[in-house]
Amino acid sequence: MIKTAYYQDLTKMNTFGMKVKARCFIEYDSVADLVDIEFEELARPVLHIGGGSNLLFTDDFKGTVLHSKINFIEILDDAPAETVLVSVGAGVVFDDFCDWAAKEGLWGVENLSYIPGEVGASAVQNIGAYGVEVKDVIKTVYCYDTIDEEFVNFDVEDLEYGYRDSAFKNPEIKGRYIVTHVVFALSRTPQPKLDYGHLKAAVEAAGAELTPALIRKVIIKIRKEKLPEPSVMGSAGSFFKNPVITAEHYARIEAAAKAELGADYKVPHYDLPDGTVKVPAAWMIEQCGWKGKRSGNAAVYDKQPLVIVNYTGEAYPEEIIGLEKRIIASVKAKFDIELHPEVDHI
């Protein structure tokens, strides 16, 4: 069924809580509904959203906002015993899928637990956390082509996945394909990935049998301790991407940090297979003194400086953007690194 509304309030449809409206809002709950939507006649621009968790509305949206309510989780009959292929509707809350997989004893998405958003958006954004990206478990993404008006599918190898990136974000095709469902390749064989940060120590401290459910429980606890609940304080989660730099650049940062903070100081980082180094944006933002700082109705979260929050619930988009620009400028001045937002600005 298709539901259409005009001048729809989007405040509760974006986790930042921006008080904006859409000229036209369309919600559908089946794949077949997409065939009945006259895409050429929709008010432009057209934006498809998931849970509204990775975007910042900068003003009222003057076009059409689409939202999927396609909601199903189905184990495919032809999956081999050791690998379980699971088809999941684009409108399924991604963490509900993680919860389902953990209860089924299936490995693959437990590290991605408690990331806000929906399954369709996860395949576009290539969400990731604790050493795992969703591309690692995606097999096929099924879509509706709004130009050729036909259903298509893409194998994971075709989607040019990168860090918080995919072919769906290519300007030449952005918005053309609407994800209808995603097939994930999960595993019955234990495949814990615990090498990121302090995850292994946290899981071992839990002192229980190593299962997807245990890892999920630990990760949810960690995330709740450092990230705000959108229902309490609006945010879009991690606002900036973690920059990847050369080993030489990292060496300069490390030398400067040791000179400033002591010879034994260790700069947090993650060595990548190609010899480059990923440095947490949160660490750099904190070193620039932003952690907990407030600017009008916006603030840098006091438990995780990677997160910009709608501190009072009354923040205007301009306040969020102004704070973002000042953070970028200060990190550039101190570390010669240009931070890039992970959040889409709409």
Side-chain angles (χ1 to χ4, degrees):
M1 181 168 55
I2 300 173
K3 296 180 181 179
T4 303
Y6 296 96
Y7 301 101
Q8 173 71 46
D9 183 2
L10 299 177
T11 305
K12 294 184 178 180
M13 298 179 193
N14 71 98
T15 59
F16 240 133
M18 295 292 100
K19 300 181 187 300
V20 295
K21 295 180 179 180
R23 178 182 174 186
C24 180
F25 178 79
I26 297 176
E27 190 169 66
Y28 58 92
D29 59 14
S30 75
V31 173
D33 288 336
L34 288 167
V35 178
D36 296 327
I37 297 174
E38 299 289 343
F39 286 94
E40 290 186 356
E41 298 180 6
L42 297 179
R44 302 286 167 170
V46 177
L47 172 69
H48 200 294
I49 65 171
S53 60
N54 198 59
L55 52 82
L56 171 64
F57 281 104
T58 60
D59 201 347
D60 287 342
F61 194 74
K62 296 175 176 59
T64 303
V65 171
L66 295 160
H67 181 247
S68 171
K69 295 285 285 185
I70 299 174
N71 196 323
F72 67 85
I73 301 177
E74 177 185 1
I75 294 179
L76 301 182
D77 293 336
D78 59 350
E82 69 277 5
T83 299
V84 179
L85 299 182
V86 183
S87 182
V88 187
V92 173
V93 173
F94 191 84
D95 190 57
D96 288 349
F97 170 48
C98 294
D99 182 52
W100 174 89
K103 288 176 178 176
E104 292 286 328
L106 297 174
W107 295 83
V109 293
E110 59 279 355
N111 287 41
L112 304 177
S113 291
Y114 219 60
I115 295 178
E118 297 173 358
V119 166
S122 77
V124 174
Q125 176 70 6
N126 189 24
I127 61 171
Y130 301 100
V132 174
E133 293 179 317
V134 76
K135 71 172 179 60
D136 301 333
V137 289
I138 285 178
K139 178 176 174 58
T140 310
V141 179
Y142 290 80
C143 305
Y144 181 70
D145 183 340
T146 62
I147 301 297
D148 291 339
E149 298 182 341
E150 63 181 8
F151 293 100
V152 297
N153 62 78
F154 302 96
D155 292 335
V156 65
E157 297 83 6
D158 300 327
L159 290 173
E160 302 173 10
Y161 278 120
Y163 177 52
R164 305 297 180 270
D165 197 17
S166 73
F168 292 119
K169 291 188 171 188
N170 185 324
E172 295 180 1
I173 64 168
K174 188 174 183 179
R176 174 174 178 170
Y177 299 101
I178 294 177
V179 177
T180 58
H181 57 291
V182 180
V183 173
F184 296 90
L186 305 183
S187 175
R188 296 192 187 280
T189 303
Q191 297 181 356
K193 293 180 174 60
L194 306 176
D195 295 334
Y196 197 89
H198 304 293
L199 181 57
K200 184 175 182 180
V203 170
E204 290 176 347
E209 180 185 357
L210 191 61
T211 63
L214 174 66
I215 295 174
R216 170 175 164 77
K217 180 180 178 180
V218 170
I219 284 176
I220 289 175
K221 181 176 184 295
I222 293 172
R223 290 184 70 90
K224 283 187 172 182
E225 287 174 350
K226 68 178 185 178
L227 297 173
E229 292 284 354
S231 59
V232 177
M233 187 179 295
S235 82
S238 298
F239 197 94
F240 297 101
K241 297 178 182 179
N242 290 319
V244 175
I245 60 177
T246 66
E248 292 77 14
H249 194 162
Y250 171 75
R252 294 196 298 272
I253 291 174
E254 183 181 46
K258 288 181 180 295
E260 180 180 351
L261 302 169
D264 295 329
Y265 186 82
K266 297 184 183 299
V267 175
H269 66 283
Y270 188 72
D271 294 321
L272 299 175
D274 63 359
T276 58
V277 183
K278 183 185 293 184
V279 181
W283 176 80
M284 290 185 287
I285 294 168
E286 183 171 0
Q287 293 302 306
C288 290
W290 283 106
K291 187 176 182 179
K293 287 290 184 67
R294 180 177 170 183
S295 178
N297 295 298
V300 177
Y301 193 49
D302 59 0
K303 295 181 181 179
Q304 170 52 276
L306 194 56
V307 178
I308 295 177
V309 295
N310 182 351
Y311 187 79
T312 65
E314 301 294 330
Y316 292 101
E318 293 83 2
E319 292 178 287
I320 304 295
I321 295 170
L323 181 55
E324 168 196 353
K325 289 181 177 178
R326 292 194 293 276
I327 291 170
I328 290 173
S330 63
V331 169
K332 176 67 174 177
K334 185 174 179 66
F335 297 104
D336 193 26
I337 290 176
E338 185 89 21
L339 289 184
H340 296 281
E342 181 176 324
V343 174
D344 288 331
H345 294 51
I346 307 298

Coordinates of all heavy atoms in Angstrom, one line a residue, residues 1-3 25-37 39 48-51 66-74 87-94 96-97 117-122 141-145 151-152 177-184:
M1 N 0.8 -1.2 0.0 CA 0.0 0.0 0.0 C 0.9 1.2 0.0 O 1.9 1.3 0.7 CB -0.9 0.0 1.2 CG -1.8 1.2 1.3 SD -3.1 1.0 2.5 CE -2.2 0.7 4.0
I2 N 0.5 2.2 -0.7 CA 1.2 3.5 -0.8 C 0.5 4.6 -0.1 O -0.7 4.8 -0.2 CB 1.4 3.9 -2.3 CG1 2.1 2.9 -3.1 CG2 2.1 5.3 -2.4 CD1 2.2 3.1 -4.6
K3 N 1.2 5.3 0.8 CA 0.6 6.4 1.5 C 1.4 7.7 1.1 O 2.6 7.7 1.0 CB 0.8 6.2 3.0 CG 0.1 5.0 3.6 CD 0.3 4.9 5.1 CE -0.4 3.7 5.7 NZ -0.1 3.5 7.1
F25 N 5.7 13.4 0.7 CA 6.2 12.2 1.4 C 5.4 11.0 1.0 O 4.2 11.0 1.1 CB 6.1 12.4 2.9 CG 6.6 11.2 3.7 CD1 8.0 11.1 3.9 CD2 5.8 10.3 4.3 CE1 8.5 10.0 4.6 CE2 6.2 9.2 5.0 CZ 7.6 9.1 5.2
I26 N 6.2 10.0 0.5 CA 5.5 8.8 0.0 C 6.1 7.6 0.8 O 7.4 7.4 0.8 CB 5.7 8.6 -1.5 CG1 5.0 9.7 -2.2 CG2 5.2 7.2 -1.9 CD1 5.2 9.7 -3.7
E27 N 5.3 6.8 1.4 CA 5.7 5.6 2.1 C 5.0 4.4 1.4 O 3.8 4.4 1.1 CB 5.4 5.7 3.5 CG 6.0 4.6 4.4 CD 5.8 4.9 5.9 OE1 4.7 4.9 6.3 OE2 6.9 5.2 6.6
Y28 N 5.8 3.3 1.2 CA 5.2 2.1 0.6 C 5.6 0.9 1.4 O 6.7 0.9 2.0 CB 5.7 2.0 -0.9 CG 7.2 2.0 -1.0 CD1 7.9 0.8 -1.1 CD2 7.9 3.1 -1.1 CE1 9.3 0.7 -1.2 CE2 9.3 3.1 -1.2 CZ 10.0 1.9 -1.2 OH 11.3 1.9 -1.3
D29 N 4.9 -0.2 1.3 CA 5.2 -1.4 2.1 C 5.4 -2.7 1.3 O 5.4 -3.8 1.9 CB 4.1 -1.6 3.2 CG 2.7 -1.8 2.7 OD1 2.6 -2.1 1.4 OD2 1.8 -1.7 3.4
S30 N 5.5 -2.6 0.0 CA 5.7 -3.8 -0.8 C 6.6 -3.4 -2.0 O 6.6 -2.3 -2.5 CB 4.4 -4.5 -1.3 OG 3.8 -3.7 -2.3
V31 N 7.3 -4.5 -2.5 CA 8.1 -4.3 -3.7 C 7.2 -3.9 -4.9 O 7.5 -3.0 -5.7 CB 8.9 -5.6 -4.1 CG1 9.6 -5.5 -5.4 CG2 9.9 -5.9 -3.0
A32 N 6.0 -4.5 -5.0 CA 5.1 -4.2 -6.1 C 4.6 -2.8 -6.1 O 4.3 -2.2 -7.2 CB 3.9 -5.1 -6.0
D33 N 4.6 -2.1 -5.0 CA 4.2 -0.7 -4.9 C 5.0 0.2 -5.8 O 4.6 1.2 -6.3 CB 4.2 -0.2 -3.5 CG 3.1 -0.8 -2.6 OD1 2.1 -1.2 -3.2 OD2 3.2 -0.8 -1.4
L34 N 6.3 -0.2 -5.9 CA 7.3 0.7 -6.6 C 6.9 0.8 -8.1 O 7.1 1.9 -8.7 CB 8.7 0.2 -6.5 CG 9.3 0.3 -5.1 CD1 10.6 -0.5 -5.0 CD2 9.6 1.8 -4.8
V35 N 6.3 -0.2 -8.7 CA 5.8 -0.2 -10.1 C 4.7 0.9 -10.3 O 4.6 1.5 -11.3 CB 5.4 -1.6 -10.5 CG1 4.9 -1.5 -11.9 CG2 6.5 -2.6 -10.3
D36 N 3.9 1.1 -9.2 CA 2.8 2.0 -9.3 C 3.2 3.5 -9.1 O 2.3 4.3 -9.3 CB 1.7 1.6 -8.3 CG 1.2 0.2 -8.7 OD1 1.1 -0.1 -9.9 OD2 0.8 -0.5 -7.7
I37 N 4.4 3.7 -8.7 CA 4.8 5.1 -8.4 C 5.3 5.7 -9.7 O 6.1 5.2 -10.4 CB 5.9 5.2 -7.3 CG1 5.4 4.7 -6.0 CG2 6.4 6.6 -7.2 CD1 6.4 4.6 -4.9
F39 N 7.5 7.9 -11.1 CA 8.7 8.6 -10.6 C 8.9 9.9 -11.4 O 9.4 10.9 -10.9 CB 9.9 7.7 -10.7 CG 9.9 6.7 -9.6 CD1 9.4 5.4 -9.7 CD2 10.4 7.0 -8.3 CE1 9.4 4.5 -8.7 CE2 10.5 6.1 -7.3 CZ 9.9 4.8 -7.5
H48 N 15.3 9.2 -1.1 CA 14.9 8.0 -0.4 C 15.6 8.0 0.9 O 16.9 8.0 1.0 CB 15.1 6.8 -1.2 CG 14.3 5.6 -0.8 ND1 14.4 5.0 0.4 CD2 13.3 5.0 -1.4 CE1 13.6 4.0 0.5 NE2 12.8 4.0 -0.6
I49 N 14.9 7.9 2.0 CA 15.5 7.8 3.3 C 15.2 6.4 4.0 O 14.3 5.8 3.6 CB 15.0 8.9 4.3 CG1 13.5 8.8 4.6 CG2 15.4 10.3 3.7 CD1 13.1 9.8 5.7
G50 N 16.1 6.1 4.9 CA 15.8 4.9 5.7 C 15.3 5.4 7.1 O 14.2 5.9 7.2
G51 N 16.1 5.2 8.1 CA 15.8 5.6 9.5 C 16.1 7.0 9.8 O 15.9 7.5 10.9
L66 N 10.9 9.6 -0.1 CA 10.4 8.2 -0.2 C 10.9 7.4 1.0 O 12.0 7.6 1.5 CB 10.8 7.5 -1.4 CG 10.3 8.1 -2.8 CD1 11.1 7.7 -3.9 CD2 8.8 7.7 -3.0
H67 N 10.0 6.5 1.5 CA 10.4 5.7 2.6 C 9.8 4.3 2.5 O 8.7 4.1 2.2 CB 10.0 6.2 4.0 CG 10.4 5.4 5.1 ND1 9.5 4.7 5.9 CD2 11.7 5.0 5.6 CE1 10.2 4.0 6.8 NE2 11.5 4.2 6.7
S68 N 10.7 3.3 2.6 CA 10.3 1.9 2.5 C 9.8 1.3 3.8 O 10.5 1.5 4.9 CB 11.4 1.0 1.9 OG 11.1 -0.4 2.0
K69 N 8.7 0.5 3.8 CA 8.3 -0.3 4.9 C 8.3 -1.7 4.5 O 7.6 -2.5 5.1 CB 6.9 0.2 5.3 CG 6.8 1.6 5.8 CD 7.3 1.7 7.3 CE 6.4 1.2 8.3 NZ 6.8 1.4 9.7
I70 N 9.1 -2.1 3.6 CA 9.2 -3.5 3.2 C 9.9 -4.2 4.3 O 11.1 -4.0 4.6 CB 10.0 -3.7 1.9 CG1 9.3 -2.9 0.7 CG2 10.2 -5.1 1.5 CD1 10.1 -2.9 -0.6
N71 N 9.2 -5.1 5.0 CA 9.7 -5.7 6.2 C 9.5 -7.2 6.3 O 8.5 -7.7 6.5 CB 8.8 -5.0 7.4 CG 9.5 -5.2 8.7 OD1 10.0 -6.3 9.0 ND2 9.3 -4.2 9.6
F72 N 10.7 -7.9 6.0 CA 10.7 -9.3 6.2 C 12.1 -9.8 6.4 O 13.1 -9.1 6.0 CB 10.1 -10.0 4.9 CG 10.9 -9.9 3.7 CD1 11.9 -10.7 3.4 CD2 10.6 -8.8 2.8 CE1 12.7 -10.6 2.2 CE2 11.3 -8.7 1.6 CZ 12.4 -9.5 1.3
I73 N 12.2 -10.9 7.0 CA 13.5 -11.6 7.1 C 13.2 -13.1 6.8 O 12.4 -13.7 7.4 CB 14.1 -11.6 8.6 CG1 14.3 -10.1 9.0 CG2 15.4 -12.3 8.7 CD1 14.8 -9.9 10.4
E74 N 13.9 -13.6 5.8 CA 13.7 -14.9 5.3 C 14.9 -15.7 5.0 O 15.8 -15.2 4.3 CB 12.8 -14.8 4.0 CG 12.5 -16.2 3.4 CD 11.8 -16.0 2.0 OE1 11.6 -14.9 1.6 OE2 11.5 -17.0 1.4
S87 N 17.5 -13.3 3.2 CA 17.0 -12.2 2.5 C 16.2 -11.3 3.5 O 15.4 -11.7 4.2 CB 16.0 -12.7 1.4 OG 15.5 -11.6 0.6
V88 N 16.5 -10.0 3.4 CA 16.0 -9.0 4.4 C 15.4 -7.8 3.7 O 16.1 -7.2 2.8 CB 17.1 -8.6 5.4 CG1 16.4 -7.7 6.5 CG2 17.8 -9.8 6.0
G89 N 14.2 -7.4 4.0 CA 13.6 -6.3 3.4 C 14.3 -5.0 3.7 O 14.8 -4.8 4.8
A90 N 14.3 -4.0 2.8 CA 15.0 -2.8 2.9 C 14.5 -2.0 4.1 O 15.2 -1.2 4.7 CB 14.9 -2.0 1.7
G91 N 13.2 -2.2 4.5 CA 12.6 -1.4 5.6 C 12.8 -2.0 7.0 O 12.4 -1.4 8.0
V92 N 13.5 -3.1 7.0 CA 13.8 -3.7 8.4 C 14.8 -2.8 9.1 O 15.8 -2.5 8.5 CB 14.3 -5.1 8.2 CG1 14.8 -5.7 9.5 CG2 13.2 -6.0 7.6
V93 N 14.5 -2.6 10.4 CA 15.5 -1.9 11.2 C 16.7 -2.8 11.3 O 16.6 -3.9 11.6 CB 14.9 -1.6 12.6 CG1 16.0 -1.0 13.5 CG2 13.8 -0.6 12.5
F94 N 17.9 -2.2 11.0 CA 19.1 -3.1 10.9 C 19.4 -3.8 12.2 O 19.8 -4.9 12.2 CB 20.3 -2.2 10.4 CG 21.5 -3.1 10.1 CD1 21.6 -3.6 8.8 CD2 22.5 -3.4 11.0 CE1 22.6 -4.5 8.4 CE2 23.5 -4.2 10.6 CZ 23.6 -4.8 9.4
D96 N 17.3 -4.8 14.4 CA 16.4 -5.9 14.5 C 16.9 -7.1 13.8 O 16.7 -8.2 14.3 CB 15.0 -5.5 14.0 CG 14.3 -4.5 14.9 OD1 14.7 -4.2 16.0 OD2 13.2 -3.9 14.4
F97 N 17.5 -6.9 12.6 CA 18.1 -8.0 11.9 C 19.3 -8.6 12.7 O 19.4 -9.8 12.8 CB 18.6 -7.5 10.5 CG 19.4 -8.4 9.8 CD1 19.1 -9.8 9.6 CD2 20.6 -8.0 9.2 CE1 19.9 -10.6 8.9 CE2 21.4 -8.9 8.5 CZ 21.1 -10.2 8.3
G117 N 19.4 2.9 11.9 CA 19.1 2.9 10.5 C 18.4 1.6 10.0 O 18.1 0.7 10.8
E118 N 18.2 1.5 8.7 CA 17.5 0.4 8.1 C 18.4 -0.4 7.1 O 19.4 0.1 6.7 CB 16.2 0.9 7.5 CG 15.3 1.5 8.5 CD 14.0 2.2 7.9 OE1 13.9 2.2 6.7 OE2 13.2 2.7 8.7
V119 N 17.9 -1.6 6.8 CA 18.7 -2.5 5.9 C 19.1 -1.9 4.6 O 20.2 -2.0 4.1 CB 18.0 -3.8 5.8 CG1 18.7 -4.7 4.7 CG2 18.1 -4.6 7.1
G120 N 18.1 -1.3 3.9 CA 18.3 -0.7 2.6 C 19.4 0.4 2.6 O 20.3 0.4 1.8
A121 N 19.3 1.2 3.6 CA 20.4 2.3 3.8 C 21.7 1.7 4.1 O 22.8 2.3 3.7 CB 19.9 3.3 4.8
S122 N 21.7 0.6 4.9 CA 23.0 0.0 5.2 C 23.8 -0.4 4.0 O 25.1 -0.3 4.0 CB 22.8 -1.2 6.2 OG 22.4 -2.3 5.5
V141 N 22.4 -7.3 -3.7 CA 21.5 -6.2 -3.4 C 20.5 -6.1 -4.5 O 20.8 -6.0 -5.7 CB 22.2 -4.9 -3.2 CG1 21.2 -3.7 -2.9 CG2 23.3 -5.0 -2.1
Y142 N 19.2 -6.2 -4.1 CA 18.1 -6.1 -5.1 C 17.5 -4.7 -5.1 O 17.3 -4.1 -4.0 CB 17.0 -7.2 -4.8 CG 17.5 -8.6 -5.0 CD1 18.3 -9.2 -4.1 CD2 17.2 -9.3 -6.2 CE1 18.8 -10.5 -4.3 CE2 17.6 -10.6 -6.5 CZ 18.4 -11.2 -5.5 OH 18.9 -12.5 -5.8
C143 N 17.2 -4.2 -6.3 CA 16.8 -2.8 -6.4 C 15.7 -2.7 -7.5 O 15.5 -3.6 -8.3 CB 18.0 -1.9 -6.9 SG 19.4 -2.0 -5.8
Y144 N 15.1 -1.5 -7.4 CA 14.2 -1.1 -8.5 C 14.8 0.1 -9.2 O 15.2 1.1 -8.6 CB 12.8 -0.6 -8.0 CG 11.9 -0.2 -9.1 CD1 11.3 -1.2 -9.9 CD2 11.5 1.1 -9.2 CE1 10.4 -0.8 -10.9 CE2 10.6 1.5 -10.2 CZ 10.1 0.6 -11.1 OH 9.2 0.9 -12.1
D145 N 15.0 0.0 -10.5 CA 15.6 1.0 -11.4 C 14.5 2.0 -11.8 O 13.6 1.7 -12.5 CB 16.2 0.3 -12.6 CG 16.9 1.3 -13.5 OD1 16.7 2.6 -13.4 OD2 17.8 0.9 -14.3
F151 N 13.2 -4.2 -12.3 CA 13.9 -4.7 -11.1 C 15.3 -5.3 -11.5 O 15.4 -6.0 -12.5 CB 13.1 -5.8 -10.4 CG 11.8 -5.2 -9.7 CD1 10.6 -5.4 -10.4 CD2 11.9 -4.5 -8.5 CE1 9.5 -4.8 -9.8 CE2 10.8 -4.0 -8.0 CZ 9.5 -4.2 -8.6
V152 N 16.3 -5.0 -10.8 CA 17.7 -5.4 -11.1 C 18.3 -5.9 -9.8 O 17.8 -5.6 -8.7 CB 18.5 -4.2 -11.7 CG1 17.9 -3.8 -13.0 CG2 18.6 -3.1 -10.7
Y177 N 18.6 4.0 -8.2 CA 18.2 2.7 -7.7 C 17.7 2.7 -6.3 O 18.3 3.3 -5.4 CB 19.4 1.7 -7.8 CG 20.0 1.5 -9.2 CD1 21.1 2.2 -9.6 CD2 19.3 0.7 -10.1 CE1 21.6 2.1 -10.8 CE2 19.8 0.5 -11.4 CZ 21.0 1.2 -11.7 OH 21.5 1.1 -13.0
I178 N 16.5 2.1 -6.1 CA 15.9 2.0 -4.8 C 16.1 0.5 -4.3 O 15.6 -0.4 -4.9 CB 14.4 2.3 -4.8 CG1 14.3 3.8 -5.1 CG2 13.8 2.0 -3.5 CD1 12.8 4.3 -5.3
V179 N 16.8 0.4 -3.2 CA 17.0 -1.0 -2.6 C 15.7 -1.5 -2.1 O 15.0 -0.9 -1.4 CB 18.0 -0.9 -1.5 CG1 18.2 -2.3 -0.9 CG2 19.4 -0.4 -2.0
T180 N 15.4 -2.7 -2.6 CA 14.1 -3.4 -2.1 C 14.4 -4.5 -1.0 O 13.7 -4.6 -0.1 CB 13.4 -4.1 -3.3 OG1 14.3 -5.0 -3.9 CG2 13.0 -3.0 -4.3
H181 N 15.5 -5.2 -1.2 CA 15.9 -6.2 -0.2 C 17.4 -6.6 -0.4 O 17.9 -6.3 -1.5 CB 15.0 -7.4 -0.2 CG 14.9 -8.2 -1.5 ND1 14.3 -7.7 -2.6 CD2 15.4 -9.4 -1.8 CE1 14.3 -8.6 -3.6 NE2 15.0 -9.6 -3.1
V182 N 18.0 -7.1 0.6 CA 19.4 -7.5 0.5 C 19.5 -8.9 1.0 O 18.9 -9.3 2.0 CB 20.2 -6.5 1.5 CG1 21.7 -6.9 1.4 CG2 20.0 -5.1 1.1
V183 N 20.4 -9.7 0.3 CA 20.7 -11.0 0.7 C 22.1 -11.0 1.4 O 23.1 -10.6 0.8 CB 20.7 -12.0 -0.5 CG1 21.2 -13.4 -0.1 CG2 19.3 -12.1 -1.1
F184 N 22.1 -11.5 2.6 CA 23.3 -11.6 3.4 C 23.8 -13.0 3.5 O 23.0 -13.9 3.6 CB 23.0 -11.0 4.8 CG 22.7 -9.6 4.9 CD1 21.3 -9.2 4.8 CD2 23.6 -8.6 5.0 CE1 21.0 -7.9 4.9 CE2 23.3 -7.3 5.1 CZ 22.0 -6.9 5.0

